[in-house]
Amino acid sequence: MIPAIRGTHDILPGEIEKWQLVERVARALCERYGYVEIRTPIIEREELFAKGTGETTDIVQKEMYAFTDKGGERVTLRPEATPSLVRAYVEHSLEQTLPATKIFTLGPMFRYERPQKGRYRQFHQFDVEVFGMNDPAVDAEVIDLAWSLIQALQIAQSELVLNSVGCANCRPRFQEALLAALGEDLPRLCQDCQRRAKTNPLRIYDCKVEADQPIIDRLPHSVDYLCEPCATHFAAVRAHLDGWGIPWKLSHRLVRGLDYYTRTTFEILGQTLGAQNALLGGGRYDGLVKDLGGPDRTGIGFAAGMERLVLALPEGVGVEPAPRAFVVGIGDDGRSEALKLLRELRQAGVAAQMEFEARGIRAQMKRADRLAARVTLIVGGDELARGDVTLRDMRTGEQQSIARGEVVPATARLLSGT
Ligand SMILES: [Zn+2]
Ligand SMILES: [Zn+2]
């Protein structure tokens, strides 16, 4: 046996139904909100993420599946979707061809991290992006889409947290204040924080080291250093959410781990594996499109971890099998008629199964039970002689004879519950 690679996982029947549910709900919401799907390659030039995600991030420094291909080009499996979507937006001039550049994508991402329960090296994201729209109502719409997804999936104990990290005009002032407040405490922080203080001080807020927390708790908050346009923008976003009755909490530690965020940042937290974890996160990244060689257009979006969403689903959701029919044939003539009926049912859009290997009626009925068939249709010598089929309702155990010509529509009606 050659096992799967560490940090990857198969999604098997019993679990795949949950994935399909999450994907179905996500697609349906996107359609309702006017977001269109695009799919980009999982392999890209390494420099796209070095530039887009940021040279100083852990993702680019430690976690990328980057290699030199046979043509001598540096490529990488994508560690996140946003830079790829920005690239596609610029490369295909999507702002000219799409009525509104509101897009989404679903697919696998790759990061070489230490695998843990619920965290994989190949993981999957649902990713939403809007380009070229500045109005705070767009921030609110994106957050509403994210919130509606979590509500539609009936994920309990979810919590929306918000922050604003400011812009290129006001952030330097905040960074200065942050470093000034750290002052003599800086040497007492962990090695990572020491490095962050030099490369991107905001990222000190990401630190999970226990001993650093009392110091970090005393640091200033970005919302107190916003310039006037940033403050006005953030107030409008909050007012829209309040107007829609979407509950939120301010979280001054929400600076997000990536270099490109500006202004609004947000996360939705939920219960997975007995702890509160981020199910999705995102924000505005007004400089990224230009940084990646495109026109000066703003952007905002979020990425949801599919593994996390599936884990957070309530018990029993998405596992209900589709109601189906099972066809039983007795004797050679009965089996041959049953095979005809099987195909007629499928052609009529009815999910129908039959046991091909076992011939005895008991073995066939056992199979119907295992498949949790809603209806069993029996064709034997008696039925053939009468020109009918015995229909057994597996829930009530009731049986009735139905004329052969009527059996397909009768089964379809019963399965659809009308
Ligand atoms: Zn600002
Ligand atoms: Zn630290």
Side-chain angles (χ1 to χ4, degrees), residues 166-171 226-227 229-230 263:
C167 66
N169 294 328
C170 53
R171 201 173 334 172
L226 298 180
C227 64
C230 283
R263 291 193 169 171

Side-chain angles (χ1 to χ4, degrees), residues 190 193 196 207 209 212:
C190 72
C193 283
R196 289 170 181 137
C207 180
V209 175
D212 288 7

